Amino acid sequence: MSATSRTVAKIALALAAFQLLLQHSPTTFSPLQTRRSVVKYDMSKPVPQEVTDKALEAAILAPNHFLSEPWRFYTCGKDTKGKLCGLNEDKRKMAEGVPEMLVVTLASEHAISEKLGLEDHAAVSCAIQNFMLSLAADGVASKWMTGALGAPPEDVVAAVGAPDGEKLMGVIWYGFPATPLSEDAKVPKRKKGLDGVLKRLP
């Protein structure tokens, strides 16, 4: 496959993911506007399995070099959540207030210091964003946690039985929020803004 063909394929995948989000959105506003990091959830309202499955399908539509598909997902049932919550007693109460958890790892044959390793890392990040945007389209809140469990990454990976070599990308907390998602939700002000990170070249 030529470089041009690969680029076209990546664009097609990204468009397909965005169209999927729009098709399934029960609201008139964009998931990009409503997705915010949420830590307070309604524990009485479980997330339907089909909502999670749809979000995972959106996740694997993320662009990935040569279709390396470097993402691995671990849905966490009651027993596994118990293991994760028990990794740090100081954080247990907070973790037990989360309805659902998804552990995401990077499975790459390349070191993160290598170009292809960085591409695989970026692909998994895109997959996580797709997952959270799909959830937001269905009114489900989420938060991408990389360290708030207060446990070493290797302990989190071991808790889900991931094979040797997989690297933790994060634990995604998700569930219906205590306060419904809204396009009017406060967005943290970007310190640099667009002007601080953009160069308009001739």
Side-chain angles (χ1 to χ4, degrees):
M1 182 182 289
S2 67
T4 300
S5 297
R6 289 197 298 273
T7 300
V8 171
K10 288 182 179 181
I11 293 173
L13 282 170
L15 287 174
F18 185 68
Q19 289 170 352
L20 179 67
L21 294 176
L22 292 181
Q23 287 173 0
H24 293 289
S25 176
T27 58
T28 57
F29 42 78
S30 168
L32 285 169
Q33 294 174 292
T34 59
R35 191 218 63 76
R36 302 266 69 84
S37 294
V38 172
V39 295
K40 295 182 179 180
Y41 299 92
D42 182 353
M43 295 294 288
S44 68
K45 191 176 181 182
V47 177
Q49 185 62 51
E50 56 269 25
V51 171
T52 296
D53 290 345
K54 184 172 63 180
L56 288 167
E57 290 289 347
I60 63 174
L61 289 176
N64 55 111
H65 192 71
F66 289 118
L67 291 178
S68 60
E69 300 176 280
W71 39 71
R72 300 293 184 270
F73 306 104
Y74 298 86
T75 58
C76 300
K78 182 179 179 180
D79 291 346
T80 305
K81 279 183 61 182
K83 290 180 182 179
L84 294 173
C85 291
L87 291 177
N88 186 334
E89 289 299 324
D90 292 337
K91 302 286 186 179
R92 177 184 285 277
K93 185 176 181 179
M94 178 177 64
E96 288 180 342
V98 178
E100 306 289 346
M101 294 185 187
L102 178 76
V103 174
V104 185
T105 65
L106 165 67
S108 176
E109 59 188 50
H110 307 284
I112 193 65
S113 58
E114 300 174 0
K115 178 179 180 293
L116 292 182
L118 286 173
E119 290 189 359
D120 283 342
H121 186 280
V124 181
S125 297
C126 290
I128 291 173
Q129 176 76 338
N130 277 8
F131 179 78
M132 295 189 297
L133 289 177
S134 179
L135 291 177
D138 281 313
V140 177
S142 61
K143 184 174 176 63
W144 181 354
M145 309 297 290
T146 56
L149 285 174
E154 55 270 24
D155 289 354
V156 178
V157 171
V160 299
D164 291 342
E166 291 188 16
K167 304 297 184 184
L168 181 67
M169 290 291 292
V171 181
I172 313 305
W173 291 3
Y174 67 102
F176 286 100
T179 301
L181 298 179
S182 170
E183 62 180 341
D184 296 324
K186 183 179 179 180
V187 179
K189 182 177 177 58
R190 271 35 183 175
K191 296 178 181 179
K192 295 181 179 180
L194 184 58
D195 289 341
V197 298
L198 172 66
K199 289 187 177 181
R200 301 184 186 277
L201 303 175

